[in-house]
Amino acid sequence: MKKSLPVAALPVIFATVVLDAVGIGLVFPILPALLRDVTHADNVAPYIGIMTALYALMQFIFAPVLGALSDRLGRRPVLLLSLAGAAVNYLFLAFAPSLWMLLLGRAIAGLTSANVSVATAYITDISPENQRARRFGLLNAMFGAGFIIGPVLGGALGDYGLRLPFMAAAVLNAGNLLLAWLSLPESRTPTREKIDLAALHPLRPLRWVFSEKSLLPITVIFFTFSAAGEVYGVCWALWGHDAFAWNGLWIGLSLGAFGVCQALAQAFLPGPAVKLLGERATILTGIACACVALLVMAFATRSWMIFAIMPVFALGGIGAPALQSLATRQVAEDRQGQFQGVLASAVSLASVLCPLVFSSIYFGVRAYWPGAVWLSVIVVYAALVPLVLGLRLQKPAQALAG
């Protein structure tokens, strides 16, 4: 039986997740200018790719580690430690004078933000089964809200001082640390069991998919879908500055507007779209909308065109929920957790590898045509079409059994 819910527990957990997402997003508008200031280089695309990949790599490695430590030591101490580490690290980033110190700070930021797995476990601990879906939905909504707030906050503050967003993030994390210290109780009794070190290997879930060949297509589709999504965090700010001379505020506002439109689209449209079109057609519709928007962005000559195409761009987001729904029918009920772990690993792997690829592409095309980077994303989406068309749509009774 679950513990009765402490009054302040959920707001503190949700605040932790929001701040994680804010920390990811606030750096995007200011990163190009900050790296130019530190490296004295004009084309900083490779550095942005490295910093983004490094952040994702640390999340990829340490999410299972922090989760296992929270099983062993309890959720509260791991969450408090990660919040304290985040606050100190953002202060470190605010005063880091060199590239290697920025890279170190961003790596530590990725490590501390891996506490989302601990926050999810905390909610599981304190939530009855009939309330978990709603609370996990709120958790995802909080993460999405942080992704909207982060770029706008980073862009607005960054125009007054390149290091100011990091200072703001340090203050926010310190405030959340104090709130958690005073209000967050432990949600589970720590165990004395030894941690299974083999289970901490971040690539371990992917081993299973290679033993079940029928799951490879859907896993590849998830990886490719995620790969296409990585381009925005890496190239948006660079492209906005180079194509339209956007300052930090406009970069942040454009990312925030995209986040709002996509959040609304994903909240209200996937269900009706799947009911009307079916899962496969919904995925393909999402791909088509994204490609139309990317084509306009590639050839756009005025800022207003980007904001005008934003609703169509956001419609591209209906494909991911439909893909997730389709994926659940590929395996039996008793293998869902294992399969979701596989898909999460595929997504994480894409977030590590693809920033390096897209930053290299932007480095090559920037001098001639910055918008050409969006055509490379269209190529990635085009590669998805035959994979989606060739995917076998399993019925529940035919899903792969263990």
Side-chain angles (χ1 to χ4, degrees):
M1 186 175 180
K2 297 291 174 189
K3 295 181 179 182
S4 60
L5 178 64
V7 174
L10 279 178
V12 174
I13 291 296
F14 289 152
T16 299
V17 172
V18 168
L19 289 177
D20 282 338
V22 168
I24 296 171
L26 69 79
V27 75
F28 291 151
I30 64 169
L31 196 53
L34 180 60
L35 286 170
R36 290 188 192 102
D37 182 62
V38 170
T39 65
H40 307 293
D42 181 50
N43 195 344
V44 295
Y47 299 116
I48 291 180
I50 292 169
M51 290 192 75
T52 306
L54 185 60
Y55 186 97
L57 178 64
M58 297 301 284
Q59 280 190 316
F60 183 48
I61 293 171
F62 284 97
V65 174
L66 292 186
L69 284 176
S70 74
D71 288 337
R72 179 70 174 80
L73 305 176
R75 315 294 187 211
R76 175 182 160 86
V78 174
L79 282 170
L80 291 177
L81 185 63
S82 65
L83 287 170
V88 172
N89 181 62
Y90 279 119
L91 273 180
F92 175 82
L93 285 169
F95 297 101
S98 61
L99 178 62
W100 76 265
M101 293 182 75
L102 284 176
L103 291 172
L104 175 62
R106 201 59 182 158
I108 297 172
L111 189 160
T112 57
S113 73
N115 62 23
V116 173
S117 61
V118 184
T120 303
Y122 191 103
I123 289 179
T124 302
D125 291 339
I126 65 175
S127 301
E129 288 188 13
N130 63 350
Q131 295 186 31
R132 285 183 191 171
R134 181 176 65 86
R135 288 176 180 171
F136 285 141
L138 286 172
L139 187 76
N140 291 334
M142 293 300 104
F143 201 80
F147 258 105
I148 295 169
I149 296 168
V152 177
L153 179 64
L157 293 177
D159 283 342
Y160 291 96
L162 285 177
R163 310 296 181 120
L164 199 55
F166 294 122
M167 296 180 188
V171 172
L172 290 172
N173 275 279
N176 195 28
L177 172 63
L178 180 61
L179 180 63
W181 180 272
L182 296 175
S183 307
L184 191 69
E186 181 54 68
S187 64
R188 61 170 279 129
T189 303
T191 178
R192 294 183 177 273
E193 295 179 4
K194 291 184 178 180
I195 296 174
D196 180 9
L197 296 180
L200 301 182
H201 197 299
L203 292 175
R204 186 180 184 184
L206 291 176
R207 295 179 185 174
W208 178 51
V209 79
F210 287 103
S211 67
E212 303 288 357
K213 301 298 185 188
S214 62
L215 297 180
L216 272 176
I218 190 72
T219 306
V220 170
I221 290 173
F222 256 85
F223 177 88
T224 310
F225 230 97
S226 301
E230 289 299 319
V231 68
Y232 309 116
V234 176
C235 298
W236 190 286
L238 288 166
W239 163 76
H241 178 271
D242 292 336
F244 307 113
W246 282 348
N247 60 12
L249 177 60
W250 277 105
I251 292 169
L253 287 174
S254 63
L255 283 168
F258 174 66
V260 169
C261 290
Q262 190 164 61
L264 291 173
Q266 290 191 335
F268 298 108
L269 296 182
V274 169
K275 187 175 181 180
L276 179 66
L277 303 173
E279 291 160 334
R280 194 202 305 266
T282 299
I283 296 169
L284 294 174
T285 300
I287 291 173
C289 290
C291 287
V292 169
L294 288 165
L295 195 63
V296 172
M297 289 168 64
F299 291 95
T301 56
R302 297 287 187 274
S303 294
W304 66 263
M305 297 179 181
I306 308 307
F307 289 90
I309 202 66
M310 207 72 80
V312 177
F313 203 173
L315 285 176
I318 68 174
L323 180 60
Q324 289 173 319
S325 174
L326 187 151
T328 61
R329 293 199 277 119
Q330 304 303 304
V331 297
E333 287 296 324
D334 61 347
R335 308 300 291 276
Q336 287 295 332
Q338 186 178 12
F339 187 45
Q340 293 304 318
V342 167
L343 298 181
S345 290
V347 170
S348 297
L349 199 57
S351 68
V352 174
L353 299 177
C354 296
L356 301 174
V357 174
F358 285 119
S359 63
S360 298
I361 292 173
Y362 193 84
F363 180 83
V365 303
R366 177 191 178 233
Y368 309 100
W369 181 14
V373 69
W374 306 123
L375 299 182
S376 71
V377 190
I378 293 176
V379 172
V380 174
Y381 276 128
L384 272 171
V385 173
L387 291 173
V388 173
L389 290 174
L391 192 65
R392 292 179 58 192
L393 301 185
Q394 303 278 10
K395 295 180 180 179
Q398 297 174 324
L400 184 64

